[in-house]
Amino acid sequence: MKKQPLWTRDFLGISFISFFLFIVFYILLTTLPIYVLNELEGNETQVGLIVSVFLIAAVLCRPLTGKWIDQLGRKKILLSSVMIFFISSFLYLWTDSIPLLLALRFLHGIGFGMATTATGAIIADIVPNRRKGEGLGYYALFMNLAMVIGPFAGLTIIQFTSFSLLFILCAILALIALLLSLLVRIPEVDTSIAVTKQPAKFSFASFFEKNAIPVSIVGGVLALAYSGILSFISVYASELGLLKAASFFFVVYAASIVLSRPFTGRWFDLYGENKIIYPSILLFAIGMVLLSQAESTFLFLFSAAIIGLGYGSLSPSLQTIAIKNSDPTKRGLATSTFFTFFDSGIGLGSYALGVVAVYTSLSTLYLVLAGVVLLALLAYYLLHGKESAAKSIIHNEADASI
């Protein structure tokens, strides 16, 4: 059988749209706290609000976006959401007060939540069915690269130039995403089918895809554990006297993902999800234990590599399962369901772990989070892995009888 093409023009187009969306997100994530404290003379509480408001807006709009994608069409939602994202990125040039910035962050969060839900649903349609794990893994790689490039670019720019130039750069990057959205060809499903299947009134089923919920719960728990790294890794490095190494943590993390991606996605398609998910969760837990014991630059960065191998494979794999388990006409809803749980895990984790960190050391916190990761392994087994293994056995027996 001829291998279905993966690296098509449209696959690259959506992947680069996602890359530019996320690079703006990470540039602002790392630089706005400095902008609030130094330029707007705000405080640490307001810094937290700047991050939280954005995330709350993204979480609130994702279920609605998933419903709109399946009913109104991918192209319309993609264009409108990236337009909101571009306008928001441009308006940072005129935010000269905390209230204005909070309002803009809410609007920007809506654009980001809608756009990333749309790109996730579109890429699921573009990637060939037999290469779903591989394709979504490579798609996630573009987001991982943005996570490394964004903070480095943002911090470098404000160190040598000004926030005005930084905001102009963000607007230009968002404009590139918008132009790509106009050019990319998007396969449309029959929206009339999706509409007739949707309840006429507001209900849980109209905003969440029930078949995607089990693995989305697992994704949310793992995201909660990962939020401990996003929120406190620089503080932890400073406590250890390894602040210089902190800037390389995500570089090593991303390098680990880049090196593993060519075969992890392919193994997912060839051998099934359990052969990837179980080892990846265990590697994530081991990486967190190593991080909790890090006292040297080597062990600190080695833990980043192990976490990259583990957690870096989990998000695209779980998203693939959520999509594969759902009706093709509900891929938008399945994508929004997964990211709603994922974003909620990050948001709740950042706040809850901040409270816990006051009463314990960060080393102990990371050790506890290793236990949370192992709980996610149990949750995966109960919610999906056991059933997936049973189906695999039945499938293999059927193949053997032919």
Side-chain angles (χ1 to χ4, degrees), residues 240-260:
L240 296 173
L242 303 173
L243 194 55
K244 289 183 179 179
S247 60
F248 291 97
F249 185 92
F250 289 110
V251 174
V252 174
Y253 171 88
S256 180
I257 294 173
V258 170
L259 292 174
S260 65

Side-chain angles (χ1 to χ4, degrees), residues 92-151:
Y92 280 96
L93 285 163
W94 290 275
T95 52
D96 56 0
S97 69
I98 298 294
L100 272 178
L101 184 58
L102 285 171
L104 180 57
R105 288 296 282 171
F106 190 84
L107 179 65
H108 207 182
I110 290 173
F112 180 78
M114 289 179 64
T116 51
T117 301
T119 53
I122 292 166
I123 207 72
D125 292 329
I126 291 175
V127 173
N129 287 328
R130 292 181 178 271
R131 303 183 72 180
K132 275 284 188 285
E134 183 184 4
L136 291 180
Y138 280 121
Y139 168 73
L141 184 58
F142 282 81
M143 292 181 276
N144 297 136
L145 291 174
M147 183 182 67
V148 176
I149 297 171

Side-chain angles (χ1 to χ4, degrees), residues 8-15 17-18 21 68-70 72-82 114-127 139 177-191 328 331-332:
T8 62
R9 189 191 79 170
D10 299 323
F11 176 86
L12 286 170
I14 292 296
S15 296
I17 291 170
S18 178
L21 293 173
W68 294 335
I69 286 170
D70 293 329
L72 304 177
R74 277 95 169 115
K75 187 80 171 184
K76 291 177 183 176
I77 300 303
L78 178 67
L79 287 175
S80 58
S81 60
V82 179
M114 289 179 64
T116 51
T117 301
T119 53
I122 292 166
I123 207 72
D125 292 329
I126 291 175
V127 173
Y139 168 73
L178 180 59
L179 294 175
L180 288 173
S181 301
L182 292 168
L183 296 174
V184 72
R185 295 173 303 184
I186 299 173
E188 293 289 1
V189 298
D190 186 352
T191 55
R331 282 174 176 164

